Amino acid sequence: MVAKKTSLPPFQLLLDEHWRDVVRLARALAGRVDGDDVAQRAWEKAYAAYPKLTSARNLRSWLLTITARCATDVHRARRPQSPLEEAPPVAVDGPDAAEWPDPILWKAVNALPERQRVAVTLKYVGDLDHHGVAAALGTTPAASRRLVSDALATLRTTLGADDE
């Protein structure tokens, strides 16, 4: 049985409606400089895949998933390919903390392990539910909940929110 193709909006309409979300998430995951490149790469990948889509359901989540994967690709490309004992560690920058409303919070978010950082950013910057976060990370909604929960617990401890 052939899947019936749902009518998709013109790609330009999709771009007009969601470009801010894509750029905001890309910058949150990869920083301002790399974030713009990540957003561009995400739109290129979305444009290439768009004619093959069979459903118009939750296009925003689809775009943010592509964006998160492009940001992950940038982080992976920065890592050394083979361990070198004398090489200094490679810094993987997230967003420039000074550009966000709460720089102390974003400095703490940048310090989280990669999957926790991506999960909490998708959840609170990308405004995805746990199914969307799970799809972007290639995991289950339960694992997504755990990653976000662990990230929030670490942030509370780091920022002293439990002391109040």
Side-chain angles (χ1 to χ4, degrees):
M1 180 178 218
V2 177
K4 184 180 176 184
K5 189 168 184 166
T6 305
S7 177
L8 296 170
F11 192 78
Q12 183 63 49
L13 183 63
L14 183 72
L15 184 110
D16 292 343
E17 189 172 333
H18 298 292
W19 73 269
R20 282 184 180 95
D21 295 333
V22 169
V23 170
R24 185 174 65 174
L25 180 63
R27 287 180 178 175
L29 291 172
R32 185 165 187 77
V33 174
D34 287 335
D36 292 340
D37 291 339
V38 166
Q40 180 66 34
R41 189 171 298 129
W43 283 115
E44 290 170 0
K45 289 185 178 257
Y47 183 73
Y50 198 64
K52 299 174 194 146
L53 280 180
T54 57
S55 173
R57 278 187 72 218
N58 211 350
L59 291 173
R60 181 177 177 275
S61 179
W62 174 73
L63 285 169
L64 296 181
T65 297
I66 292 170
T67 305
R69 289 182 180 160
C70 288
T72 299
D73 291 345
V74 166
H75 287 297
R76 286 182 181 151
R78 287 186 187 160
R79 291 186 185 151
Q81 297 302 311
S82 59
L84 301 174
E85 290 181 24
E86 296 179 22
V90 175
V92 178
D93 296 330
D96 182 357
E99 295 177 9
W100 290 83
D102 189 344
I104 295 170
L105 170 64
W106 282 100
K107 185 175 181 183
V109 170
N110 285 338
L112 290 170
E114 181 181 353
R115 287 181 58 84
Q116 287 182 16
R117 185 183 71 248
V118 172
V120 80
T121 303
L122 286 168
K123 177 78 174 129
Y124 294 105
V125 175
D127 197 30
L128 292 179
D129 62 12
H130 286 291
H131 290 282
V133 173
L137 293 174
T139 189
T140 65
S144 162
R145 282 183 190 84
R146 184 60 191 218
L147 285 167
V148 171
S149 175
D150 289 350
L152 292 175
T154 300
L155 291 172
R156 283 185 194 106
T157 301
T158 301
L159 300 172
D162 288 335
D163 296 339
E164 295 177 9

